Amino acid sequence: MAYHGPSYGLSRECQMKSQAKFDLHRAREGCDWVEAVTNQELDWPTSEGLVDQLAFGHALKDGIALCTLLNTLQPGSVKKINTMKAPFKQRENVEMFLKGCVEYGIKSQDLFQVNDLYENRNLYMVVDCLYGLGGLAQKRHFDGPVLGVRVANENKRNFSMEKLKESNKIIGLQYGSNKGASQAGMTAYGTGRQIIPGEAQKNVSVDGQKIIGLQSGSNKGASQAGMTPYGAPRQILPDDSD
């Protein structure tokens, strides 16, 4: 595995987020499932077994266990499994496993890249791929050990054109609702509004409706007579100037 040195800045932040997504409990269940299906023990770096995500990556990065797993679920998926310890042979095993997963029915978003496993970049995606493979194996009626949730069967519905046109008559809730309210009886924008309680509104005459109520404000008879235009100079004369 190539050594790229420590990460800094945004690369370091992405690396920390990727490590935080790795669930050791789910990884242990995935490894137990691989060992149970293949009937082979994984090659751990220490006698303690799976202690962290680096041990998880070390056990699967050669691709032998993954290819054996896929051949057990669907015989003949991987024609030849490389047993050499050369890095390019190990990477080839992982690539053949990923291609076999696509043929088996795994969706592209459930797969991982070779470097995600071989260089320990996004090991949580490897765990997700194992769970996706376990769920699909249950759907294909694999009678061995199980992992994850069974993938549901497609239940496609076919509606007639008349039924589809009926949906156009329904106003979705995302458009909002006025709960049956309307603008009937509302005054024009900017006009005065008289607030008259209860039944008294029925007794107001037409002439009474023309009166400006106190709630509309009052200028107390003041006017703008004698005022100078806006911006014109203003003369201030003393009282004895008369």
Side-chain angles (χ1 to χ4, degrees), residues 112-113 136:
F112 59 90
Q113 300 295 324
L136 188 58

Side-chain angles (χ1 to χ4, degrees), residues 167-183:
S167 62
N168 296 331
K169 302 178 182 179
I170 302 175
I171 300 177
L173 293 178
Q174 64 269 22
Y175 291 103
S177 173
N178 59 5
K179 297 182 180 180
S182 67
Q183 295 181 342

Side-chain angles (χ1 to χ4, degrees), residues 98-210:
L98 294 175
K99 292 180 180 179
C101 286
V102 174
E103 296 177 357
Y104 190 66
I106 296 294
K107 297 181 179 179
S108 59
Q109 60 264 27
D110 294 330
L111 297 176
F112 59 90
Q113 300 295 324
V114 177
N115 289 336
D116 292 334
L117 172 60
Y118 200 81
E119 297 184 358
N120 298 331
R121 291 186 178 181
N122 296 305
L123 293 176
Y124 74 94
M125 299 183 66
V126 183
V127 178
D128 293 341
C129 182
L130 291 178
Y131 270 81
L133 193 61
L136 188 58
Q138 298 178 53
K139 179 182 178 181
R140 289 175 168 265
H141 306 290
F142 177 69
D143 57 356
V146 297
L147 176 68
V149 181
R150 181 180 182 273
V151 177
N153 295 322
E154 183 181 8
N155 186 12
K156 188 175 181 179
R157 278 121 169 133
N158 295 319
F159 296 101
S160 61
M161 290 302 300
E162 291 76 10
K163 197 68 174 179
L164 294 176
K165 289 180 180 179
E166 289 293 330
S167 62
N168 296 331
K169 302 178 182 179
I170 302 175
I171 300 177
L173 293 178
Q174 64 269 22
Y175 291 103
S177 173
N178 59 5
K179 297 182 180 180
S182 67
Q183 295 181 342
M186 294 184 65
T187 56
Y189 181 77
T191 58
R193 180 187 177 195
Q194 294 185 358
I195 303 177
I196 304 176
E199 295 293 331
Q201 298 180 5
K202 300 180 181 179
N203 301 326
V204 178
S205 62
V206 178
D207 294 333
Q209 295 179 3
K210 299 178 181 179

Side-chain angles (χ1 to χ4, degrees), residues 7-26:
S7 301
Y8 300 97
L10 182 59
S11 299
R12 177 61 176 172
E13 183 179 352
C14 294
Q15 182 181 8
M16 294 297 293
K17 289 183 178 179
S18 175
Q19 294 176 357
K21 293 179 181 179
F22 183 83
D23 190 341
L24 187 61
H25 176 70
R26 296 181 76 243

